[in-house]
Amino acid sequence: MGATSHQAGAAGRALTADRPSSIRNVVLVGHSGSGKTTLVEALALTAGAVNRAGRVEDGATVSDYDEIEHRRQRSVQLSLVPVEWDGIKINILDTPGYADFVGELRAGLRAADAALFVVSASDGIDGATRMVWDECESVGMPRAIVVTHLEAARSDYTQMTTVCGEIFGADDPDAVIPLYLPLHGPPGPDGHAPVTGLLGLLSRRVYEYASGERVERDPDPAELALITDARARLIEGIIAESEDESLMDRYLGGEEIDLKTLVDDLERAVARGTFHPVLMAAPATDGARQGLGTVELLELVTGGFPTPLERAAVPVTRPDGSARPDVTCDPDGSLVAEVVKTSSDPYVGRVSLVRVFSGTLKAEETVHVSGHGLADRGHEDHDVDERVGSLSSPFGKQQRVLTRCIAGDLASVAKLTRAETGDTLSAKDDPLLMAPWTMPDPLLPLAIEAHSKADEDKLSQGLARLVAEDPTMRLEQNPHTHQVVLWCLGEAHQDVALERLRTRYGVQVDPVPHKVSLRETFGAKAAGRGRHVKQSGGHGQFAICEIEVEPLPPGSGIEFVDKVVGGSVPRQFIPSVEKGVRTQAARGVAAGYPLVDVRVTLLDGKAHSVDSSDAAFQTAGALALREAAAEARIDLLEPVAELAVIVPDEYVGPVMSDLAGRRGRVVGTEQASAGRTRVRAEIPEIEIGRYAVELRSVSHGTGRFARAYARHEPMPPQIAEKVREQAEKGS
């Protein structure tokens, strides 16, 4: 922010911190394509973590994260890049910008103490980024904004800073103000004048990057006039956040406020989360050592973003739920660390990225693993001791060995075979548990089958390892449809899951159509006679029973009533008839779906003193139910979900129209928050199999929804007929 000298971190060595005050944890947030990973690479180059070819001494690169990411040209997971600047270790957490991987973003927010919002000067700010800003604002997380893609022909930094003020500063426009103005070079053939440097509003200095390294100079008269016009608003914004109440009066009285006072107040306001400076950055050109604005950005992170010591105390409990005092960022305190990411390495095995909130984590020590309340998603709770393997500092695919990780820092931990994302690591003699962070509910189903017998043998273990890495994924073994279902956040999430199963765990699976749990019921009273008589020499089979079936109210299940008189069916065989009826009901009587909500009354029957048996009467009961069904109208029942959709007010109309087109019934609307409405509806589940994808399209990525099972209802006859036809083709 001012003119200072800097020392970059050496490439190729593990960065360690000996005290929390020398650590900064910052997460990069922005939509896919906004330039986050490119910015990380530029910061690593400026900080000396990589050379001009983008590599360190051991050959690693910042972007060496995941083969899937390289193939897709898109970040799909949280990545940590540690760099050093002015003796401060900066843990840069690069997050995916695509909505399907919002779980990785939330993990990054959990591990960081401040957020850097990356917005493209050519693409603008999407609704999802605005939602994350509001989420950070609600918890008071410090934020700054960096504008990228300044080289694009249609980019306009001044206009983009205005947009940032309107969107991010809706409640306080004077809290979102640029610290620098762009210095433009001569226009190119297309008329676009490239940004070659920065005009420092506080320092009133010019920082040239045209040579490939930052060169500082005094402004010329025209540049000084530009600085002076914009500087007044910046100073007023900083003074408004100052703890010195006399500063504004002194400034308005014409006093020149010294630069150190302004910078100190600015840094305190940024750390408190009440002031959000806007900066700009661009990657280094070929052969250059520094990218445009990267020095200024590193200055802001080290000087303006909070240390881990400034983070609020972390609430913890004991694994049994009993109370325990909150823990603070103290390297000598009780050990509390959290697994924020789990991945698999083909050589090392499971690798856990952890944030240490209290105490010091040491290599090769035994810790307690507690967690984590996501059993409904296929993640079992843990309450075990495990020995930590080696500790390391990640850089791309490389892991640089550490001996310890103090409170406030992050490190990779090897060989934690039980710990999963969201679990807490603590001392084995003082086990503690952090509450898990909120994860989005996966609502897009992917039904799968093993491709071959060999894949079937490996499927269970592969799926267990897959969901251990990703707490946003839910594994379901549906007892009604007998399908294995992976519930994901979107289509890209599904594709990555299938690719990881194949490439990491050697399991080939085939997607199959997802089935909803349909039911059958009788539309009217009917009677049936089951006759099972076989005489083929020796012991025969003889059982006859007569039943009456009548529909019951929804939710009644199967009710069996015995009205046999005169002993026509011996008492010992009446349970056999009931068992046969219930077995047939579970198999279905029309389209192969379970029969529900009927009363089956056994009225009469016949038995043979020698040839009657339990098995014979079970068969007769099943035959009687099938005969009754053949003479009656069988209704198909479909599950109906209660849907709660939250969207910005401008999308309420399109969402309600879309729901109506899906046979949905809107039952009410209400204000969810400022500018957002909750639409409540009841809708058949068969109509919302892909709603996670389709709502994103209707609401331009700004909508979210929750669903819950309500009941089963009769399916419209024309749709039921199509379902029966499909069932017959599949049988």
Side-chain angles (χ1 to χ4, degrees), residues 548-564:
E548 181 181 76
V549 185
E550 57 186 315
L552 291 177
S556 300
I558 301 290
E559 182 179 326
F560 185 84
V561 179
D562 168 26
K563 287 191 176 180
V564 173

Side-chain angles (χ1 to χ4, degrees), residues 20 110 113 307-319 322-338 355-360 406-408 424-427 430-435:
R110 178 75 161 205
D113 301 310
T307 74
L309 293 169
E310 297 171 72
R311 185 167 182 144
V314 176
V316 292
T317 63
R318 301 199 183 279
S322 58
R324 169 65 160 78
D326 296 349
V327 297
T328 58
C329 184
D330 178 3
D332 297 322
S334 300
L335 176 63
V336 175
E338 187 172 36
R355 159 79 190 249
V356 180
F357 289 92
S358 174
T360 299
I406 66 169
T424 304
L425 309 183
S426 55
D430 186 18
L432 300 172
L433 177 64
M434 292 178 63

Side-chain angles (χ1 to χ4, degrees), residues 540-664:
Q541 298 182 51
F542 188 97
I544 298 174
C545 63
E546 296 180 5
I547 63 170
E548 181 181 76
V549 185
E550 57 186 315
L552 291 177
S556 300
I558 301 290
E559 182 179 326
F560 185 84
V561 179
D562 168 26
K563 287 191 176 180
V564 173
V565 294
S568 56
V569 177
R571 305 307 304 170
Q572 69 269 28
F573 293 134
I574 289 176
S576 304
V577 176
E578 180 178 359
K579 185 175 181 180
V581 166
R582 292 188 179 275
T583 300
Q584 184 62 52
R587 290 196 294 257
V589 294
Y593 299 106
L595 179 71
V596 296
D597 302 335
V598 294
R599 178 184 292 120
V600 179
T601 304
L602 178 60
L603 301 174
D604 202 359
K606 293 182 180 179
H608 188 277
S609 59
V610 175
D611 294 338
S612 291
S613 65
D614 170 62
F617 270 100
Q618 283 190 47
T619 302
L623 290 171
L625 185 60
R626 291 209 298 267
E627 182 178 289
E631 301 299 323
R633 185 186 86 245
I634 302 299
D635 293 334
L636 280 186
L637 304 177
E638 60 181 343
V640 174
E642 293 178 345
L643 213 63
V645 186
I646 299 178
V647 291
D649 294 343
E650 60 264 33
Y651 297 116
V652 171
V655 165
M656 292 176 69
S657 296
D658 180 69
L659 291 173
R662 300 171 185 274
R663 298 191 285 132

Side-chain angles (χ1 to χ4, degrees), residues 439-460:
M439 282 292 181
D441 196 13
L443 295 167
L444 184 66
L446 173 66
I448 57 174
E449 292 179 352
H451 182 71
S452 65
K453 180 64 170 68
D455 294 309
E456 188 173 338
D457 295 338
K458 297 182 291 184
L459 181 60
S460 178

Side-chain angles (χ1 to χ4, degrees), residues 177 201-202 226-239 248 251:
I177 303 176
L201 299 185
L202 286 182
L226 291 173
I227 292 172
T228 302
D229 288 344
R231 191 173 189 264
R233 179 175 176 240
L234 174 60
I235 291 177
E236 289 175 6
I238 294 173
I239 292 176
M248 181 63 76
Y251 174 71

Side-chain angles (χ1 to χ4, degrees), residues 233-277:
R233 179 175 176 240
L234 174 60
I235 291 177
E236 289 175 6
I238 294 173
I239 292 176
E241 300 295 335
S242 175
E243 296 175 353
D244 184 350
E245 297 180 357
S246 69
L247 205 58
M248 181 63 76
D249 292 336
R250 290 160 51 195
Y251 174 71
L252 294 176
E255 181 179 334
E256 179 74 16
I257 308 300
D258 67 274
L259 179 60
K260 184 179 186 306
T261 298
L262 291 173
V263 171
D264 288 347
D265 280 344
L266 168 65
E267 292 178 345
R268 280 192 289 268
V270 171
R272 288 198 308 268
T274 58
F275 191 84
H276 316 293

